[in-house]
Structure formats: structure tokens, C-alpha cells
């Protein structure tokens, strides 16, 4: 039988010059709240919050300033916040346990956070929107309608395939 790993109950923080009592339940509440509540809500909003397609399509630029994009902004900025909070939870755990423990919990936790960070990076490859009535298009000039989303380019198809699959893996790691 393998001995139990030492789980510290307090840590000396040199930059504060004092010993701090560790409350691991704060770490657990933070991470469970992020990955079991916040992330699923942000994913559900992008799936069910977007408006139905119209004949005119998307007319205004994707922006936090435009109310009709609330569903996209909740998804994007909510998940950015989730990743930042997760990195904070990781930093706290690594600081107080003085490194990476190698337990199954730490491996799955790190895999979850890495997958979350890769989701943020993948968003940079989302591409342009486009469409006949998009804010940069001229409805009379077909050449101005092009966009990765509108034209279903390989870039957009690869982005969607990766982003959705990696998101499911991130949630699977989090449940683990």
C-alpha cells in the first residue's frame, strides 16, 4: 500500500513574512464552481442564446458594445474569466503544496486548465464572419461578402471541430 501524500494545512509565505492556514475547501469551491457551473453556463448560452438566422444575416460587427451579441460575449468573456480564475486556483495549489504533487487529482486538474488555456488560444483562429449584409460588405459586390464563417472555409471548419472537441475534453477532465 502506498503512503498517503502529505497535504499541508499551513504554509509560510516569505513575501508576507508569515504563516497562513490553508483552507483547501476554498480551492475546491472555486474550481468546482468554475468547471461545474460557470463553464457549462457559458457553453449553454452560446448554444441556445444566439438568435435564429434571418434573411439579412449578421449585419453588425461582433462587439461587446452591441446588445444583440450578448450571447457571444457571455460565452467569450465568461470563459476568459473561468480560465483566469482557474490559473489563480492552480497558482494557489502549487504555492501551498510547493510544486506539482503528481496525484491523479493534480494531473486531471492540470489537464483541465491546459485544455481551457488552449481553448482561449484557439479562439484567435476563429476567423472572420462575412456575409451579404455584414457591416463591411457591399450587397451589390459578391467579392465583399467573403468571410471564414460565411464561406465555410477550411480554417473555420477546423476551428469549429477543434474548439468543440477540445471543450468537451476540458469538461471531461474537470469532471475527473
Amino acid at each position: 500500500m502506498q503512503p498517503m501524500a502529505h497535504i499541508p494545512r499551513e504554509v509560510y509565505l516569505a513575501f508576507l513574512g508569515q504563516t497562513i492556514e490553508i483552507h483547501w475547501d476554498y480551492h475546491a469551491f472555486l474550481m468546482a464552481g468554475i468547471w461545474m457551473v460557470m463553464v457549462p453556463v457559458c457553453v449553454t448560452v452560446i448554444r441556445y442564446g444566439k438568435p435564429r438566422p434571418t434573411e439579412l444575416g449578421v449585419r453588425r460587427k461582433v462587439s461587446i458594445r452591441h446588445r444583440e451579441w450578448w450571447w457571444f460575449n457571455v460565452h467569450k468573456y465568461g470563459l476568459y474569466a473561468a480560465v483566469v480564475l482557474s490559473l489563480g486556483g492552480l497558482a494557489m495549489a502549487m504555492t501551498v503544496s510547493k510544486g506539482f504533487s503528481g496525484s491523479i487529482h493534480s494531473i486531471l486538474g492540470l489537464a483541465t486548465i491546459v485544455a481551457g488555456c488552449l481553448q482561449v488560444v484557439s479562439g484567435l483562429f476563429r476567423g472572420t464572419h462575412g456575409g451579404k449584409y455584414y457591416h463591411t460588405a457591399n450587397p451589390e459586390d459578391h467579392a465583399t461578402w467573403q468571410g471564414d464563417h460565411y464561406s465555410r472555409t477550411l480554417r473555420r471548419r477546423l476551428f469549429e471541430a477543434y474548439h468543440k472537441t477540445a471543450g468537451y475534453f476540458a469538461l471531461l477532465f474537470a469532471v475527473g
Side-chain angles (χ1 to χ4, degrees), residues 136-153:
T136 57
N138 175 356
E140 306 302 320
D141 183 5
H142 191 281
T144 64
W145 302 358
Q146 302 309 307
D148 294 305
H149 188 118
Y150 178 78
S151 304
R152 299 299 299 152
T153 63

Side-chain angles (χ1 to χ4, degrees), residues 116-134:
C117 290
L118 289 174
Q119 286 293 78
V120 169
V121 172
S122 79
L124 300 173
F125 298 99
R126 192 173 139 259
T128 58
H129 203 284
K132 183 176 181 178
Y133 297 102
Y134 196 55

Side-chain angles (χ1 to χ4, degrees), residues 74-132:
V74 166
H75 177 76
K76 180 179 180 179
Y77 297 110
L79 293 177
Y80 281 176
V83 168
V84 168
L85 290 170
S86 293
L87 290 169
L90 171 67
M92 182 193 99
M94 296 285 286
T95 299
V96 300
S97 59
K98 295 180 177 62
F100 185 74
S101 71
S103 69
I104 190 70
H105 172 83
S106 62
I107 292 167
L108 288 172
L110 190 59
T112 302
I113 294 169
V114 167
C117 290
L118 289 174
Q119 286 293 78
V120 169
V121 172
S122 79
L124 300 173
F125 298 99
R126 192 173 139 259
T128 58
H129 203 284
K132 183 176 181 178

